[in-house]
């Protein structure tokens, strides 16, 4: 599927800033719109491990598209795992075939890493909430249909946050300009603005005050998925570099004959394979309900996104000057995987989570 439907278009989608909605509906036909949701309402009932394989495979053809697909899947799972029967029956049959797309709205202009400090309010008014505030950097914004918005229904801090679903055509919902970015050009990133945006309380996911916990549970899987996209980028870059090294000649020899460059390939393979093992372990820790899963997911995201970015960078170097040209896709893998070290919690935040877990285990055997 990736070879036929994704990879041939990745450079065009990047250059022309095309959000490939048609391709997404084709992935949904394969069951990739709600991969790890229950089958009851159209989910595929697969595991996190399966999802990791899928996101990696699609990312070999386009990191950005696979990353959006992973965000959509994270939102679908949040509804499937937490929604009422009515919410699940309404939304999953639309999200699974990707006839409607979802966005995850946590970050705000004033709160990124310190996400629990968010300021968007949802004031109670009879059977409704009235939302005011804005969300920054929202993937898919403007092109998607359903916004899972973390907003303040109570006091300061994480316990005052709820998750409310806002449909695109709701009065009071609007979007900022499309951000200009280093990569991820095949999906729009925009601010999402709420001005007296009224939504029924029945759109709240889970009890009042449970939104931050839900957002974090979503991100545990999201981090495995984003790390899987980095695996795809590194895998494709490594293969491209290998091929180039057998074609390009300097000093009368193929590049592949220089031992210094062979060693590069070996080191890149070690970076990729160690990342893959860790990402798969994190996926399995979610599948098995391991209470230590959040730290393993953070560790996997930290390691894989940094190592795989380095693999892309080393591959670019092996292409010499050609690696810097837009004609060769390796620079796009590099650009598109760079943000994976920043979003769904920066890698500094991943270090905080891992360190907190290590210190918290002081005294354990
Ligand atoms: C292309 C793109 C798409 C995105 N998509 C989404 C989306 O769909 N939904 C969404 O909600 N968000 C999204 N984001 C937002 C992303 O999750 C945030 O950018 C990220 O969490 C960091 O927040 P910030 O940009 O405000 O940086 P800040 O939190 O301001 O951090 C700035 C720097 O300081 C570091 N830092 C902060 N606090 C500490 C600390 N205590 N110790 C050490 N270092 C620290 C950070 O690691 C970072 O290096 C997206 C971002 C981008 C770029």
């Amino acid at each position: 599927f990736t070879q036929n439907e994704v990879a041939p278009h990745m450079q065009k989608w990047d250059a022309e800033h095309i959000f490939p909605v048609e391709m997404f509906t084709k992935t949904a036909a394969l069951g990739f719109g709600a991969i790890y949701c229950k089958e009851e309402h159209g989910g595929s009932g697969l595991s996190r491990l399966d999802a990791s394989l899928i996101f990696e495979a699609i990312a070999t053809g386009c990191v950005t598209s696979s990353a959006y697909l992973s965000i959509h899947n994270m939102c679908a799972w949040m509804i499937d795992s937490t929604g009422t029967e009515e919410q699940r029956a309404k939304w999953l049959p639309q999200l699974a075939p990707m006839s409607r797309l979802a966005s995850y709205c946590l970050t705000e202009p004033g709160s990124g890493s310190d996400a629990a400090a968010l300021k968007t309010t949802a004031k109670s008014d009879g059977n409704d909430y009235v939302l005011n505030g804005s969300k920054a950097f929202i993937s898919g914004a403007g092109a998607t249909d359903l916004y899972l918005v973390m907003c303040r229904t109570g006091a300061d801090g994480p316990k005052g946050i709820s998750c409310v679903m806002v449909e695109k055509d709701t009065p009071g919902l609007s979007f900022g300009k499309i951000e200009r970015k280093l990569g991820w050009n095949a999906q729009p990133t925009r601010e999402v603005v709420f001005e007296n945006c009224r939504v029924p309380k029945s759109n709240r996911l889970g009890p009042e005050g449970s939104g931050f916990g839900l957002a974090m549970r979503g991100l545990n899987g999201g981090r495995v998925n984003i790390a899987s996209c980095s695996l795809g980028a590194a895998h494709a870059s490594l293969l491209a570099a290998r091929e180039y090294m057998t074609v390009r000649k300097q000093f009368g020899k193929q590049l592949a004959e220089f031992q210094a460059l062979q060693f590069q390939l070996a080191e890149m393979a070690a970076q990729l394979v160690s990342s893959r093992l860790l990402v798969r372990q994190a996926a399995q820790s979610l599948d098995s309900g391991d209470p230590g899963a959040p730290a393993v997911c953070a560790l996997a995201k930290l390691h894989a996104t940094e190592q795989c970015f380095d693999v892309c960078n080393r591959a670019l170097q092996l292409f010499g000057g050609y690696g810097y040209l837009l004609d060769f896709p390796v620079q796009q893998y590099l650009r598109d995987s760079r943000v994976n070290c920043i979003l769904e919690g920066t890698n500094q935040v991943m270090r905080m989570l891992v360190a907190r877990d290590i210190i918290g285990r002081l005294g354990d055997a």
Side-chain angles (χ1 to χ4, degrees):
F1 178 82
T2 300
Q3 276 171 8
N4 295 331
E5 302 287 346
V6 187
H9 310 294
M10 110 176 190
Q11 286 172 284
K12 181 180 163 73
W13 292 340
D14 173 62
E16 298 176 19
H17 294 211
I18 294 169
F19 187 47
V21 174
E22 216 175 285
M23 185 275 284
F24 291 133
T25 50
K26 290 182 186 169
T27 65
L30 299 173
F32 299 165
I35 300 169
Y36 46 92
C37 293
K38 294 182 268 303
E39 288 169 280
E40 192 185 356
H41 293 298
S44 295
L46 294 174
S47 66
R48 305 301 186 119
L49 185 59
D50 296 318
S52 172
L53 293 163
I54 292 165
F55 294 128
E56 177 180 348
I58 296 178
T60 61
C62 180
V63 176
T64 308
S65 308
S66 191
Y68 171 72
L69 190 65
S70 85
I71 293 169
H72 175 86
N73 269 273
M74 174 169 69
C75 293
W77 175 82
M78 287 167 70
I79 295 171
D80 191 43
S81 63
T82 310
T84 60
E85 179 50 31
E86 204 182 346
Q87 289 169 333
R88 294 174 61 235
K90 175 175 178 187
W91 284 107
L92 291 168
Q94 302 184 67
L95 297 178
M98 298 188 80
S99 51
R100 308 206 59 200
L101 303 175
S103 287
Y104 173 94
C105 308
L106 177 65
T107 307
E108 298 189 354
S111 60
S113 301
D114 187 11
L118 65 83
K119 295 241 178 301
T120 296
T121 53
K123 290 261 186 292
S124 173
D125 185 21
N127 289 330
D128 297 335
Y129 287 120
V130 179
L131 273 67
N132 278 290
S134 65
K135 295 288 171 182
F137 292 114
I138 302 308
S139 299
T144 52
D145 309 286
L146 184 67
Y147 296 83
L148 272 59
V149 183
M150 274 35 86
C151 47
R152 196 159 294 289
T153 49
D156 286 350
K159 296 269 162 55
I161 295 171
S162 299
C163 178
V164 174
M165 296 184 284
V166 182
E167 294 188 48
K168 187 183 184 181
D169 53 7
T170 310
L173 173 68
S174 61
F175 305 100
K177 67 172 171 47
I178 295 180
E179 305 288 2
R180 297 165 62 233
K181 308 188 292 278
L182 175 70
W184 274 35
N185 290 321
Q187 56 168 296
T189 306
R190 298 172 77 170
E191 200 166 323
V192 176
V193 181
F194 307 95
E195 290 165 303
N196 294 323
C197 180
R198 184 175 286 273
V199 291
K201 283 186 177 163
S202 56
N203 278 19
R204 192 186 65 234
L205 269 182
E208 263 201 5
S210 68
F212 191 73
L214 174 60
M216 294 302 113
R217 287 197 301 284
L219 283 182
N220 289 331
R223 287 167 186 157
V224 173
N225 299 342
I226 284 294
S228 302
C229 293
S230 288
L231 296 176
H235 183 91
S237 299
L238 177 55
L239 294 191
R242 180 186 66 175
E243 191 183 333
Y244 187 74
M245 285 168 64
T246 61
V247 175
R248 178 72 172 171
K249 285 189 174 159
Q250 288 293 283
F251 301 98
K253 286 180 173 178
Q254 288 180 354
L255 295 184
E257 292 177 64
F258 296 115
Q259 193 179 48
L261 303 188
Q262 292 171 359
F263 280 17
Q264 290 279 332
L265 285 184
E267 288 165 15
M268 289 156 73
Q271 289 174 293
L272 171 59
V273 174
S274 63
S275 298
R276 188 178 279 138
L277 290 173
L278 197 45
V279 171
R280 303 290 195 251
Q281 187 187 338
Q284 282 175 315
S285 75
L286 286 173
D287 284 330
S288 66
D290 176 357
V296 183
C297 293
L299 192 64
K301 197 250 187 197
L302 167 63
H303 182 81
T305 58
E306 292 188 359
Q307 294 302 310
C308 290
F309 177 75
D310 194 49
V311 170
C312 297
N313 198 25
R314 293 171 88 161
L316 191 153
Q317 186 73 16
L318 289 168
F319 272 81
Y322 296 97
Y324 201 67
L325 301 185
L326 297 185
D327 302 333
F328 290 83
V330 70
Q331 48 73 34
Q332 191 180 336
Y333 289 114
L334 175 114
R335 287 187 290 109
D336 286 345
S337 62
R338 178 62 181 87
V339 75
N340 296 358
C341 301
I342 296 173
L343 48 65
E344 303 214 352
T346 67
N347 283 2
Q348 284 72 33
V349 170
M350 296 307 103
R351 286 172 169 86
M352 283 160 58
L353 295 174
V354 172
R356 198 180 292 159
D357 186 73
I358 294 169
I359 292 165
R361 286 170 193 264
L362 261 181
D364 288 2

